[in-house]
């Protein structure tokens, strides 16, 4: 296991444990505490069909189905914030009488912890990101497997400074970054 990754992971864990400790406001017991978590998301399920029969210009009939889900859970308290996103997508396409092929396949999880610094609009930041896919991918001939779940899978950990001039823009500068690539499929890892 990569020594840098272990150190980065321990730093993330220590900050998350500190953030999880609850410091209730004892000055007012009757007031409702402010909402710390903001959650939400968007999803879609799309179907498409094209039917061509005796079409002079050529082409193939096709059918496709695609699903997408993007959710977030963000936590903010005092000078700390923790932003989490999960994007999932999967799609299938069938042209003519050919078998179904993947048209989209994505698993993308990102988690970023920020702590206000002494500089205005700059935060100390730690980020971790995981990427992979749901099912096997094949080459153009549909016979040779070229990818699968966790083949490859990517884990990225970074520590740095986050420039956040507004709620809609953020720029992470991370001089300490570690990227680990996993290939759990023995056949693919030997290639």
């Amino acid at each position: 296991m990569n020594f840098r990754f272990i150190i980065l992971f321990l730093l993330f864990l220590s900050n998350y444990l500190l953030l999880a400790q609850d410091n209730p406001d004892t000055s007012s017991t009757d007031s409702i505490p402010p909402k710390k978590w903001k959650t939400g998301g968007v999803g879609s399920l799309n179907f498409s069909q094209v039917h061509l029969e005796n079409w002079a210009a050529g082409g193939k009939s096709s059918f496709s189905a695609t699903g997408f889900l993007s959710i977030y859970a963000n936590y903010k308290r005092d000078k700390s914030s923790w932003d989490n996103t999960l994007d999932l997508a999967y799609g299938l396409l069938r042209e003519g009488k050919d078998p179904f092929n993947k048209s989209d396949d994505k698993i993308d999880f990102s988690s970023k912890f920020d702590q206000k610094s002494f500089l205005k609009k700059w935060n100390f930041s730690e980020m971790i990101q995981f990427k992979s896919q749901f099912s096997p991918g094949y080459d153009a001939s549909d016979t040779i497997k070229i990818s699968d779940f966790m083949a490859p899978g990517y884990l990225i950990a970074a520590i740095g400074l986050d420039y956040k001039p507004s709620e809609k823009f953020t720029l992470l500068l991370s001089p300490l970054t570690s990227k680990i690539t996993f290939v759990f499929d023995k056949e693919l890892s030997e290639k």
Side-chain angles (χ1 to χ4, degrees), residues 25-33:
D25 183 12
T26 57
S27 63
S28 173
T29 58
D30 295 333
S31 67
I32 298 172

Side-chain angles (χ1 to χ4, degrees), residues 19 35-41 71-77 80-86 109-114 164 167:
L19 185 63
K35 188 175 180 181
K36 296 176 184 172
W37 284 96
K38 285 186 181 179
T39 59
I71 56 176
Y72 67 89
N74 299 334
Y75 182 87
K76 190 168 190 172
R77 184 179 74 194
S80 302
S81 66
W82 181 20
D83 299 333
N84 301 282
T85 60
L86 177 63
F109 171 74
S110 181
S111 182
K112 184 172 67 135
F113 177 79
D114 286 340
K164 199 169 191 178
E167 288 295 317

Side-chain angles (χ1 to χ4, degrees), residues 15 19 39 53 64 98 101 109 135 141 156 163 174 179 183:
N15 276 321
L19 185 63
T39 59
E53 189 171 324
S64 69
D98 295 340
N101 290 316
F109 171 74
S135 65
S141 67
I156 301 166
Y163 177 65
S174 56
K179 179 180 179 185
V183 182

Side-chain angles (χ1 to χ4, degrees), residues 19-172:
L19 185 63
Q21 293 178 1
D22 206 6
N23 288 331
D25 183 12
T26 57
S27 63
S28 173
T29 58
D30 295 333
S31 67
I32 298 172
K35 188 175 180 181
K36 296 176 184 172
W37 284 96
K38 285 186 181 179
T39 59
V42 64
S44 69
L45 190 56
N46 300 309
F47 298 97
S48 172
Q49 181 180 5
V50 174
H51 179 73
L52 302 173
E53 189 171 324
N54 296 325
W55 182 249
K60 290 183 179 179
S61 296
S62 66
F63 175 80
S64 69
T66 305
F68 175 75
L69 178 67
S70 178
I71 56 176
Y72 67 89
N74 299 334
Y75 182 87
K76 190 168 190 172
R77 184 179 74 194
D78 301 327
K79 295 182 177 186
S80 302
S81 66
W82 181 20
D83 299 333
N84 301 282
T85 60
L86 177 63
D87 294 332
L88 306 172
Y90 196 78
L92 294 171
L93 171 68
R94 181 177 184 178
E95 292 182 313
K97 297 187 187 291
D98 295 340
F100 279 96
N101 290 316
K102 262 193 326 185
S103 60
D104 197 1
D105 192 358
K106 174 171 88 167
I107 301 171
D108 189 347
F109 171 74
S110 181
S111 182
K112 184 172 67 135
F113 177 79
D114 286 340
Q115 180 71 38
K116 290 277 185 202
S117 73
F118 57 91
L119 299 171
K120 191 175 183 180
K121 299 181 183 179
W122 286 89
N123 302 321
F124 296 112
S125 186
E126 301 170 350
M127 191 252 334
I128 192 163
Q129 184 175 30
F130 168 76
K131 292 183 177 191
S132 190
Q133 60 191 13
F134 288 103
S135 65
Y138 295 90
D139 69 349
S141 67
D142 289 333
T143 56
I144 300 171
K145 184 166 72 167
I146 58 174
S147 63
D148 204 344
F149 175 71
M150 290 300 290
Y154 303 102
L155 184 63
I156 301 166
I159 295 176
L161 290 173
D162 187 27
Y163 177 65
K164 199 169 191 178
S166 71
E167 288 295 317
K168 299 188 184 236
F169 179 80
T170 180
L171 174 66
L172 177 63

